[in-house]
Structure formats: structure tokens, C-alpha cells
Amino acid sequence: MPPFGGKCQLNYTRERMWEPGYLKAKCAELHLEDEFRLYRIRLWKSYLCVFFMLHIFVTFLHCLLLLTTVESQKMLFDISLYIGCCVILIVALSVNFCDGFIANNTWYMYASSMFASLILVFADLTESIYHSFAHNWQLGTFYDTYIIYMIYMFLPIHFISGAVLLALLVSALYIIYYIQFLANGFPQFVAELFSVGGMSVDILHYLCINLVGIFYRVMNDTVVRSSFLDRHQFIKEELWLRNARLQEKQLLDSILPPQISQPLQKDIQNRIVLAKQGAGIRLFSALERTMAIQIHPDVSILYADVVNYTHLTTTLTVEKLVKVLHDLYGRFDMAAFRFKVQRIKFLGDCYYCVAGLSDPDPDHADNCVALGLAMISIIQEVRDVQGLDINMRIGVHSGFLFAGVIGEAKLQFDIWGVDVTIANVLESTGVAGFVHISGATLNNLSDQRYVIGEGPESARNHPFLTNYHIITFIVREVLSDNEEDNDELIGELHTVSLVKLASIQRLSDNTDEGLKARFSEELHEEFRKMPVSPFNQKTFYGMYRQKDGATLPLYHQLNICLTFYDNSLEKAYLTQVDYMFKYSMLLAWCVGCALLYIELMDTKMICTSCIILPAIVSTLETILTFIAWYKKLCWARYGKYGLPHNYSRVSCIIFRIHEKIIASLSIRIVIYLFLVISSFCVVCIIMMTCDPGEFELMYIEERLFHYEQERKICFHPWVATNMVSLMICLTLSFGHIPFLVKTAMAFLETIAYLMIIFFHFEFVFHHSVTTNPNFKAEYAHALLICVTLIIMFAKERQIEFTNKVNFNWRVELRKKERDANITNHSIIIILNNILPSHIVDVYLNSLAKHELYYENYQMVSVMFAMLLNFEIDLRSLRVLNEIIAEFDVLLLFYKEYYSVEKIKIVGCTYMAACGLDLNFAGSTSKTEKSDTERDSTGKNPRKLSFGHDKNDLDEVVFVMTSFALDMMRTLAKCNRSYQCIKADRTIMDGTIAIGISSGEVMAGIVGASQPHYDIWGNPVNMASRMETTGLPGNIQVTEESAKILQDFGILCEYRGLTFVKGRGEIPTYLVGIDEDLNFINTERKRAPSHVERSTVISLQSTYSQPDASDNRSDMSSYS
């Protein structure tokens, strides 16, 4: 809301959510009306139980008073009539507890309610009429107010219009009785209708009682419907949260072992919570970074390489390549799952996995060899189906390894160790179509199921294998008696895969029919268990015992005063915004107007205070009611139809006052106390105009001299009692006031009025009309007031309990929503650490359905950077983790502004690419490009933007090379820091070999159970060769990349012809870098389009502060 001085707009959204019409429409929209009807039947049954106890108590109390205060012989007719009607009423209403009968005959609920109401009216009027004719007693009625309360609050009448019609019928019957027996006929009734003490006061009383009943029904229906909607949303969020957590667990477990993934998941969620709370999350310093590494002493490692893979990636189209790889690696994943082998990752043409990693397995060697043979069978099948010239070369070794996660970005599970390298060498020296194993693996095979031959000569002569005295063997085939079993196992792979994949719930599966059916079933069960009463017999007898992990029932969270044991929860409940305030004010205003009218019509005594105080009270009530309803009226006139309207300054002030009132508990309590106390004061003023002594004297004179005074010098006692009864109703019905405050005020009013009856105006009340012959009138007045208090207290307690249920569910709903958001956020973070950010949405929306996804890029620069001279042990892995983490910190900046993506970490090799942005893709399998482009443009206008011209796309080479240089600078900083630590001096020498190549690249996601994003193409192969054939401390590039860099003014020195596997001898170049790790400049032909990079990010590591001389920007020097 703007300041008072300006115009404002109307926001009625929150208030509208508490409108009865809106809630009913929302229930219908969500198809909850049937469930609501069933719950309401249970609710009315609980109301009937309360009513039975209440009616039995009222009947017993009434009869007891008659027996103790009047001669019993004279009361036999009355008592028999009351008890008989009580029995008949209970029997008739008890049929409503027969679920089967009521389900097929819902009309009986209304019929029995009407019968019960009319039988009480019959008993009440019959008793009065009988004594009028038999004993000439002019009696008043006792059950009129009670019956109207009963109709609105207890009887099973589902629709409010039916309750109103029945209550009006009862009111009309009593008015007819008054006309016929108390007003001496209709003409006299009309003549004296608006005179002092006329029947208009009684008619107004009935109207007010009906208004209180309607108010209760509206409030109760609103709260119950709101509870239903909250419960519906609660179950929806809970079901979604369970599925989201299941998905998150399965997603993490498919990439990382549970012992590593669970702490990672908790850490991510804790960081999200702390970030939302505004707490500063201190970043780990270099030496404090955690390293999730585990030692596995007895496992088997399998390396598998696709023979002729280079030809495959350079000849097939993107769609064909991704389809072949997805089919091939998907089948491998199925086989790995069947043989209990955990896939680690893909390395282009290489697939490696480990048996015995997640759980110790004595058959790890058998499983790996069986998997290797299955993979050979699979690739032969794919080769025949796809018509491709491909084969498999597989190496298996058993031994010791380290496994875990290193770095801070694109977390991937990996393995390290000498035995891992041995398995890799076994693969590279193996024979296509066979499994190449070591002697360690052969010794771990449990039986002689295979035909074993000697290893190839290339393995016997390999220096690495010779150095570690590795003897190798070839597994040629499975022995004949087990071939059938092996084929059967392979044939089961498809079925096993389908079962596993079907169990993985994705985010996009929320609309799945099975999930909807489960949601409906759980919703029905939750509605069936919804509490209907604040009373629980187990709680009463102390029999309740909470089960471990069970949710504490709401009735056990509240004390006898319906106050939460949790003080913070009670405070939150009391301070919530009261959007129903306008209805409470309307009721108070109507009761106030009725009191004012009654004051004018009940006595002719005129006094100053009798005029001034009621006038002030009525004026203030009218102003408060206008403020409470003004926003609603404005919305009905303009907002309901969407008409734009700027409200005046006065309207803005009224809106602000209204919002302040409904948001402040203290203000509402002050208003409530003012309304209650002022209304009671008006009633007292009406009574205080009567002089008890004068009334007593004139009453005696009337009886002695048999004449009647023309002027009514005192109030009518039954009118005053009815007014106080209304006051008690208002006191206990006012919404969103603490229950104890309302109860205390109602008890004070009752006690104050009882003192007036029995002490101050005893003579006046004693000589008023009574309800039974010889029954003291003051007892009848007191009984009516006490019965009203008991009824309203019981119903207000029920409403308070329903409100507490609704509030507790909304609190739980907010917790569920918060947990669901955190889970969803953590899933997105995890996916962003697995897949490039530009395809996370694509993965969630389409890949969850196991559809293929691929991309084709015209120009991408690929980099392989390998840390040299690393002896893999636990100490070295700690240093490697720190260095990779520093590289990842540097990557964050390049990723944000220059579209540099980390692809994977393999051993000590860091692989990255620049240009994998969907906006630069030539083609994709999904039409997501335009939306992504808009998103990226809207989110980060500073991000590097290339044109579609080939010369513009060439800039990715310059960016990738700049990132490589920053990696060298970062490594130099790390090296200087580690040289200061004596224990770490010998771990590394700070050398790195980097290879870069560029050109057309294909990308996509392959794998059956684990999402794996990879890139293929000649630039990937060449970048890997540039790294393996490169020189330490240099960046080696291909001829195409060198020409592009020289155009940007970076000197590239010709190294000569270098032999590259698969290509022969090709010219290679070394990027010119001086001793200070800066580019050696040359004449440039073009300038980069983006010059915002700052090397401070890469240099300001946690080891030391950057030198001032290092705070330069190489890119900016070309601007």
C-alpha cells in the first residue's frame, strides 16, 4: 500500500481466498465436494453426539430444578412431557448413525432434523397451552432460543438454506403462539406491535438469534472448506515430496555411492536453508575443503574400448551417432546392473566400471569377466543390426583403488590407483573380441568356466606391465555347459532394465495416471482420518502412547483450554491475519442495532446517559463496520470485473486502517472488548432506569387496588434476558479472538447478570412471567442464560478446535512446501553439477521420458589438460582435489560469461569445452533454442554472445585458450603455496600439459540408468592427442586453432610434424607464453568481442593474496 498521500490500487486476493463462494467454487474445481460431503456427515455425527449429551444434561437440569423447587405432584405432566420428548428425539436422530441407511436415504437427515425440532416445539407449546387452559397460567416459552441454536449448530442439515427455513418456521410458530395466547388476538397484536413493550421486540429477538445461527454456519463452513483445501494441498505436497526425494536419491545413487551421495545431499540442502535464512555461508579455504575419497582394497576393474570409434564419430550424423551410442551404452548399463557392476563413466569410446565397489562381493572377478563377455555379445548384436564395423577391446584387473569425488563443480564419481592404470593398459594392449585379464583376476575367478589363453605379445612387452610384473591372459569363450545359462542371463537384461527404469520417478511424471490414482487414494484416506472433535477418549483416560516416528495427533498437542503446548505455535496462531473480521463486525453491528431498538421500545424512561452512550456506541460500531466492509464493496464494484480504478486518498486511508486492524491482534482485542463491554453497558443502562423500590411499591398498589399503571416504569425482564443471551452469543462468536479471552468475558457477563437477577432486581425478575407453573421466574431466567452459555461454549470450543486443525495443517503445509522447494532446488543443483546448465530443463522435461537428446555445433573448442608427475596415493589425491577445486572456481566465472563447460575429470586430466551453448547449436533433437535464447538474454546480458558467422564463432578458440592460460597461472600459484609446506613439496612439480582443438562437435546424453552428457567428433579426439603428445608447461594446438589464435594476435610457434594416432603425422603448434605466464603478442587481424574477463578470480586463490603485477587482463589488452 502506498503512502497516505497518493492513490493506490486494490489488492483483494488474500481476502477473496476466505470468501465462502470462492472456497465452494475451489472445492468444486478440485472435485472435493463428494469428500467434503462425507466429512461433513462425520462432522454432523460428532455434533449429534455432543447434542445428545447436551440435551440430556439440559433436560435433567430442568427437571431437577422443577422437582427441587416445586411440588412434584404438580410437575408430573411437565416432567413426563420433557423426558418423553427427549427419548423420542434421541431415538429419531440416532438413525443418522446407520451409515448404510443414510448413504441410500440422505433425505432422512433433514427429515429427522425437522421432526426433532417440531417435537421440541410441540412439547414446549403443549405445556404452555395445557396450563393456560387447565390452570389459567399464562406461561412463557423455554425452548424457543434453544431449538433455534440446535437447528443451526447441531442437527445434520447440510445446506444452510434448509437450516434457515426450518429455524424461521420454528420462529413463526412461537410468534403465532404469542399472538394467539399472549397478545389476545391478531388485531391487538398489530395495534401494539410497535408500542412500548410490543411484540416487535420479540420478533427482532428471533431475527437476531437466526442471524447468530447463520453467522455460525457461514464461519464453520468457511473454516471446514478451507481445511479441506489445505489438506488437499498438504497431501499433494507430501506425495510430491516423497517422489522428489525418491528421484533425488535414485539420481544421486546412479552417479555416486550412497555413502558419498547422502552427505553431499544433506550439505546441499543445509546450504540452501542457510542461504534462505540470510546466514553467511563461509566458503571453505583450500586446506579445509573436504575430500570424499574411500579406499577399496578388493575390487575388479573393467575397461572397455570401442574399436574403430574414431571412424564412427567422424562419419555418422549426430542423430545416428547418439542413437547408436545410447543403444550401445544403454545395453552396457543393463548388463552392468545385472552383473552387479557399477559403471563409473564414459570416456568417449571407453567405458569403465568396477565390481565390488558399493558392497563387498567375493565374486567381483567373475562378475567383471561375465560382464566383459556380455558386452562383446552386445556389440556384435549392435554391429549386425546397425551395419557398423565396430568391436570391443576389454581389459579386467583385480586389486586396490581409491574411489570418490574431487573438485567443486560437475561432481563426478571416479577411481584412481595403480591397479586402475593396469586395467586401462590391459584394455589398450588387448585383442578385439576378447577379454584381456591379469593374473590377479584369474586367481580370483571362482571356477573354471572359461577357456583361458596366453596374453598378447603387446602386453608382454609393455613397459608399465613389465615394471609391475603383470602376467596377462585372454578369456576366449565360456565353456559349453554354461553357454546356455549365459545366454539366458543376457536375454534377461532387457527385462531387468525395464523394471529398474520403471521404478525411477522423474519430476515430469507428476501427471502420471498411477501417481494420480495414488494421490486420490491417499487423499481419501486422509479425509477419512480428519479429526472432527476436540475430545478424544484415549486422551481422557491417558491411554495414548505415541509410536516412534509417528506424527503427534492434534488433539494431543492441545491442552484442556485448546492451547498449543508449543508456545511459538500458539503465538503464531494468535497473531495470524483475520480475514473474517468483516463478518464478526457485521454481527456485532446487527446486535448493537437490535439493542438500540430494544432500548427505545422497552421503556419510556428518558435519561441523558440512556441517549448519549447508545448513540456513541452505535456510531462507532457503524464506522468500524463500514471500514471492515469498504474494501469488499470496492472489490465488488470494480475489482470483481477487472475494471482498473485508482482509489482516492480517503479510500487508501480506509484500506490501510482495515489492513492494520486485521493484522494486529491487540487492536482486534481492544475493538472486541469495546463492543462487548459497551453493549453490556447499554443493557445495564436499560435496566438501571428502573427503580426497584418504586416498582415494588407500584406492584403492591396494583395488586391491592386492582388497577394497572399506564406508564411502564421498569424494563421487561424477559427482554433483558434475551438481550443478555444475544450478548453471550456475540461474545463467544466473535472470530479470531483468543478462546480464553472470549470464555472469560462470557463467564463474567453471565455472573454479572445472575447477580442482577438474584440480588439487585430480584423482585422484578421474580414477578415476571415464568416457564412452568409455580416455578420461580428468576430460576427460569438463570436457566436460560446458563443453557445459552453452555451451548455457545460447546460450539465455540468446536470452532476453535477446527480453527486449530486448519492452522496446524497450514503450518505443516508451509513446511512441506519449503521442504519440497529445497528438494527441488537441490535436484536442480545436482543436475547442474552433472549436466551442462543449458540442457537441465530439457532433461527434466523430455529426457525423463527416456527420449534421445543430441546437439550439433559448427564450432566448439575442446581442451584436455593433464597434471603431470602425479603419484596416485591418498596424499596426492588431497592435493589433486585442491587443484581441481581451484580450477572449478575459475570455471565458474568462465561458465557465467563465456559458455565454458567442464565435461569431465579423468584421473589427472581436466576436460572442458567452449561454445556448448544452445544458441550456437546448428541443430538439436528438441526445439528449445528460442526459449533458451530468450532466457539467457534476459538473465545475463553480459554473457558472451557470438554471431552466426563462422568468423564470430571462431572466438571460442581464443576464450578456451585464455581459460587454459588462467589454469596454468592458478596451478603456478598452488605450486608456490605447496612449496611452503614441507610435507607437500614432493607431491607435485606444478607441470601441466594442455591440448586444444576446435571444429564441428556433436553432443548428447547417453546411458540407460545414469544421465551422462558427452561430446564427440574430430576436435575431441584431436584435443586428447594434443595433450598426450604435448610438452609440459605448454599449450599445444592444431593448425586450424593456431591460425585463429594468430588472427587474435597470439603468437603460435610451429613445433613440427607430430605423430597422432589415427591421423599420422600432422603439423602442431605451441601457444606463445612468456615466463610471467602471459601471451606473447603478435600483429592481430581481429579483436575479441568481449573484454570483461578479469584474471583476479583465477589468481585470488585461498593460498595467498594475488600479486599486484598479476592483476592484469589479457583480453582487455586487445580492446
Side-chain angles (χ1 to χ4, degrees), residues 629-660:
W629 281 88
Y630 184 73
K631 196 173 185 179
K632 164 77 172 178
L633 297 174
C634 291
W635 176 81
R637 183 176 181 183
Y638 299 105
K640 185 177 182 180
Y641 305 102
L643 300 176
H645 185 75
N646 288 325
Y647 293 90
S648 64
R649 178 182 177 183
V650 175
S651 297
C652 294
I653 294 174
I654 295 176
F655 293 160
R656 175 63 66 85
I657 294 173
H658 174 256
E659 291 176 0
K660 192 72 174 177

Side-chain angles (χ1 to χ4, degrees), residues 293-301 354-355 357 364 397-403 415-423 440 444 872-874 877:
I293 300 294
Q294 294 181 331
I295 300 174
H296 298 272
D298 189 20
V299 295
S300 289
I301 308 110
V354 180
L357 192 64
H364 56 80
H397 176 61
S398 301
F400 169 96
L401 58 77
F402 300 100
I415 55 177
W416 303 270
V418 174
D419 290 322
V420 175
T421 307
I422 292 173
N444 277 281
I872 297 300
D873 55 25
L874 203 55
L877 283 176

